[in-house]
Amino acid sequence: MAKVIVRNVSKSYEKHVLGPCSFTVEEGNTLLVMGPSGSGKSTLLKACAGLLKVEGEILLEDSKRVCVVFDESKCLNHLSVQDNISLGMKKEGYSEEEIRQRVYDVAERVHLSEHLLKRPDECSLGQRQRIALARALVRDFDILLMDEPFTGLDILLRRQMLSWLKQMQKEKGFTCMMVTHDHRDAKILSDQVLILNEGHVEMLDTYEQCLNHPVNEFVGAFLK
Ligand code: ADP
Ligand code: MG
């Protein structure tokens, strides 16, 4: 099974924005990345996804397929919602029947069943966000990297998605890193929480530990 190993990773543009940070996400575990806006969360996740060149070393060990969900994930407006979700799956070796079944299942999970024949530009922003999520989750993967995937979803759907993810992780055992600004995600989903502040790792521990025994004032105030 796969794990994520991050060693001395840092990133600078004109100014320093991340690191150095080092940590491991063990097989089947979920690390939630939290921190104020601009603290480097997306930078860290993009680096792990191989979308950004950084200093240091990132290993996705024993991984066959990494699945990424970023807010920039684009929908193709000349294809139906269902074709957006299944885009490329045939080439990846999935059979017609398997694609049909998987798209049907995942659409039900993200509440898109009624919209499969529409085009993305006929969908709301929240629906397009779920198309991107469905497109990622419809495939097999062993590492899942997500940047605020549930932002903008209503509370009920968000809760359903979280419990679905958790159940799926129990069944399939994938390793997950997710950026969130919502404490409830951390409480429900995380094995570990990494708290960033201006690119610096303030604390890396369980959610309970971060909440009840913050290492400094920043962490205490942030999780309050
Ligand atoms: P977060 O996701 O926590 O809100 P980001 O990782 O997106 O933060 O950004 C961290 C910092 O890096 C911010 O100060 C942001 O302005 C800066 N930054 C991100 N991308 C670029 C870029 N392409 N060029 C210059 N600065 C960037
Ligand atoms: Mg971000």
Side-chain angles (χ1 to χ4, degrees):
M1 283 302 298
K3 57 175 155 181
V4 181
I5 302 168
V6 172
R7 285 191 197 126
N8 279 317
V9 163
S10 59
K11 178 73 185 173
S12 299
Y13 294 100
E14 306 85 64
K15 64 182 178 84
H16 182 76
V17 298
L18 179 67
C21 51
S22 301
F23 58 87
T24 299
V25 190
E26 298 293 345
E27 304 166 354
N29 277 13
T30 294
L31 175 75
L32 290 204
V33 181
M34 301 183 78
S37 179
S39 57
K41 306 182 295 295
S42 295
T43 302
L44 176 60
L45 221 71
K46 276 184 192 143
C48 291
L51 300 171
L52 189 68
K53 214 166 153 338
V54 291
E55 305 290 315
E57 190 179 25
I58 294 173
L59 299 171
L60 306 184
E61 210 170 72
D62 300 324
S63 173
K64 286 198 219 53
R65 189 164 193 287
V66 181
C67 164
V68 299
V69 185
F70 286 95
D71 17 323
E72 299 100 71
S73 305
K74 291 276 190 307
C75 297
L76 301 173
N77 283 323
H78 65 283
L79 296 177
S80 65
V81 169
Q82 66 183 20
D83 288 347
N84 265 276
I85 295 174
S86 64
L87 194 69
M89 285 182 82
K90 234 188 256 175
K91 265 195 206 145
E92 291 164 30
Y94 294 94
S95 71
E96 296 270 5
E97 175 55 26
E98 197 174 10
I99 293 173
R100 208 186 53 77
Q101 189 61 48
R102 282 182 181 234
V103 170
Y104 180 85
D105 288 343
V106 83
E108 199 157 29
R109 291 296 191 169
V110 300
H111 295 206
L112 283 176
S113 304
E114 262 102 82
H115 308 287
L116 284 174
L117 299 178
K118 286 186 183 170
R119 289 191 340 231
D121 56 5
E122 296 169 316
C123 294
S124 70
L125 188 65
Q127 287 165 346
R128 286 205 298 277
Q129 199 181 356
R130 279 177 276 147
I131 296 171
L133 204 54
R135 179 163 54 200
L137 299 178
V138 73
R139 299 159 152 82
D140 289 326
F141 52 86
D142 45 30
I143 293 180
L144 176 60
L145 305 173
M146 300 194 288
D147 194 350
E148 308 210 34
F150 307 134
T151 307
L153 301 189
D154 66 65
I155 288 184
L156 185 62
L157 186 54
R158 199 183 171 98
R159 208 178 298 149
Q160 289 170 350
M161 301 283 310
L162 279 174
S163 63
W164 173 45
L165 260 186
K166 196 167 173 163
Q167 182 199 334
M168 200 162 42
Q169 192 173 25
K170 226 188 235 167
E171 286 163 14
K172 300 185 178 177
F174 56 81
T175 304
C176 177
M177 272 177 79
M178 171 168 126
V179 175
T180 183
H181 62 263
D182 196 318
H183 292 205
R184 283 166 299 192
D185 296 356
K187 200 169 166 194
I188 295 172
L189 210 59
S190 69
D191 295 292
Q192 301 253 284
V193 176
L194 183 149
I195 297 174
L196 280 175
N197 178 28
E198 296 181 352
H200 173 72
V201 179
E202 296 283 357
M203 189 165 182
L204 172 57
D205 212 316
T206 62
Y207 175 68
E208 275 66 31
Q209 201 66 19
C210 292
L211 188 68
N212 300 323
H213 305 282
V215 290
N216 57 32
E217 273 179 29
F218 175 85
V219 174
F222 181 74
L223 287 181
K224 207 175 265 168

